[in-house]
Amino acid sequence: KAEVKAAKSFYRKPAELQQEIDEWMANFDAREEEKQRQLEQEALVDEDGFQKVVSRVTKSDGFSIRSAPKPGLKVGAFSEPISGVKALSEGKKDRRTKKKKEREKVDFYKFQQREQRMQEVVQMRKDKKHDEEKVEQMRKAKRFKSIDATAK
């Protein structure tokens, strides 16, 4: 029973808590209104007599007024793509990627050029070895007659 009383005493009474929350919210609203009044006074005219422009969210009667966001192309009646616009945008992308590829050099540095040549040589040797093995297999299967064998 002592533990239950201790647990209940840990929490505040709902009526007291609600009263404290209401007071805090009233103070908060008063502070926000004061900030809004100060902003409006500052926004009117500065020291030199010029009008100040401040971008902010305007609140009136509990509603916040914001500028409307730009609608995306896939909203409402624009949910289906327009064929001409789509083709145009794809053409632009192709040109951009082509230009970008033209500007990019894969082997810009000298060591990259050397490595590329070495890789080409290694690949050529592998291909030659593979071709020789293939010719040898065809000779064994008697499907291939070399030019030298036919001349004799």
Side-chain angles (χ1 to χ4, degrees):
K1 289 185 178 183
E3 291 177 7
V4 173
K5 284 184 179 180
K8 284 184 179 179
S9 66
F10 183 71
Y11 297 106
R12 299 162 80 181
K13 294 181 181 177
E16 292 175 4
L17 184 61
Q18 186 63 44
Q19 183 181 1
E20 185 178 336
I21 291 171
D22 290 340
E23 289 174 8
W24 190 88
M25 288 301 291
N27 290 336
F28 177 78
D29 290 338
R31 286 192 309 261
E32 287 296 312
E33 287 176 12
E34 183 61 32
K35 284 181 187 177
Q36 188 66 26
R37 272 191 244 115
Q38 287 179 354
L39 281 173
E40 287 174 2
Q41 287 175 355
E42 289 176 6
L44 295 177
V45 178
D46 66 353
E47 300 141 4
D48 299 329
F50 291 100
Q51 180 76 26
K52 283 188 176 180
V53 179
V54 181
S55 64
R56 64 177 184 268
V57 176
T58 307
K59 292 183 180 179
S60 63
D61 298 329
F63 294 102
S64 59
I65 302 170
R66 297 185 178 136
S67 61
K70 290 182 180 179
L73 284 178
K74 296 185 177 184
V75 176
F78 301 106
S79 61
E80 293 184 23
I82 303 170
S83 61
V85 173
K86 188 175 181 181
L88 260 173
S89 64
E90 287 177 5
K92 286 183 180 180
K93 288 180 184 177
D94 290 340
R95 276 188 268 141
R96 287 180 189 155
T97 54
K98 188 175 179 182
K99 278 187 177 181
K100 192 173 183 179
K101 283 184 180 178
E102 288 174 1
R103 281 186 277 155
E104 289 179 357
K105 281 201 156 196
V106 179
D107 51 354
F108 181 76
Y109 296 104
K110 192 74 170 176
F111 77 92
Q112 290 174 325
Q113 293 173 357
R114 279 194 308 264
E115 285 178 0
Q116 186 178 3
R117 278 190 301 235
M118 288 297 291
Q119 288 173 358
E120 288 174 3
V121 168
V122 169
Q123 186 63 37
M124 293 278 236
R125 288 180 181 164
K126 284 181 184 178
D127 291 343
K128 184 179 181 201
K129 188 175 181 182
H130 182 264
D131 289 343
E132 286 175 352
E133 290 173 359
K134 197 172 184 180
V135 167
E136 192 62 36
Q137 287 176 355
M138 290 173 80
R139 278 189 182 153
K140 286 181 182 176
K142 296 186 179 182
R143 289 187 178 179
F144 177 78
K145 293 181 182 178
S146 65
I147 298 172
D148 298 333
T150 57
K152 292 183 181 178

